[in-house]
Amino acid sequence: MAYDSNNVFAMILRGDIPCDKVYEDEFALSFKDINAQAPVHVLVIPKGEYVSMADFSVNASAEEMTGFFRAVGETARELGLEDDGYRLIANTGANAHQEVPHLHFHILAGRKLGPMLSR
Ligand code: AMP
């Protein structure tokens, strides 16, 4: 799938629409999900134009991959989530119900999250 530069996260990266920023470095931006599913619900996105994990895992450079994954961990650390724990989700494609076609990891935390899948 070709990257759509008008997707909502591309607009956030360009500063066309605002976000509630949690963390930023040269590789990634983290911000609060607009429709939180848990007391803590933060999205981490790479700054590069990657549709999904499928795209990123093949086409990103080693530096981009390292930078992105470090940013995911750093975001969780800065949010103080390491002691109680957190869940990472990266929906990829139709079966996973990926809505925004720019790779994002959800960080969910702040309560016991229950089983991994609702059904
Ligand atoms: P997914 O279904 O994995 O693609 O998740 C997309 C997520 O993006 C959803 O949890 C939405 O609530 C979230 N989202 C959509 N638009 C925005 C926005 N403008 N700011 C923050 N989060 C958003």
Side-chain angles (χ1 to χ4, degrees):
M1 185 205 272
Y3 185 81
D4 170 13
S5 55
N6 287 320
N7 77 75
V8 67
F9 295 167
M11 291 188 220
I12 287 174
L13 281 171
R14 284 198 297 271
D16 292 349
I17 59 171
C19 71
D20 194 345
K21 183 159 78 176
V22 171
Y23 175 82
E24 181 171 19
D25 64 23
E26 96 178 83
F27 297 104
L29 174 68
S30 307
F31 53 92
K32 292 186 182 168
D33 195 294
I34 208 167
N35 182 24
Q37 304 294 312
V40 177
H41 188 171
V42 169
L43 301 171
V44 189
I45 66 175
K47 289 199 168 169
E49 297 186 342
Y50 298 102
V51 174
S52 66
M53 193 61 195
D55 182 15
F56 187 74
S57 61
V58 169
N59 296 313
S61 68
E63 190 184 30
E64 286 176 300
M65 288 189 194
T66 305
F68 176 67
F69 282 101
R70 280 198 202 287
V72 174
E74 186 58 26
T75 301
R77 219 168 354 264
E78 291 196 8
L79 288 165
L81 303 179
E82 289 193 338
D83 284 349
D84 288 344
Y86 57 93
R87 181 171 290 164
L88 295 176
I89 295 177
N91 295 320
T92 296
N95 271 7
H97 208 262
Q98 181 181 359
E99 288 174 3
V100 179
H102 182 114
L103 173 63
H104 48 285
F105 272 39
H106 299 254
I107 298 177
L108 295 152
R111 63 170 167 81
K112 292 208 182 299
L113 294 167
M116 194 154 58
L117 294 176
S118 56
R119 61 194 153 90

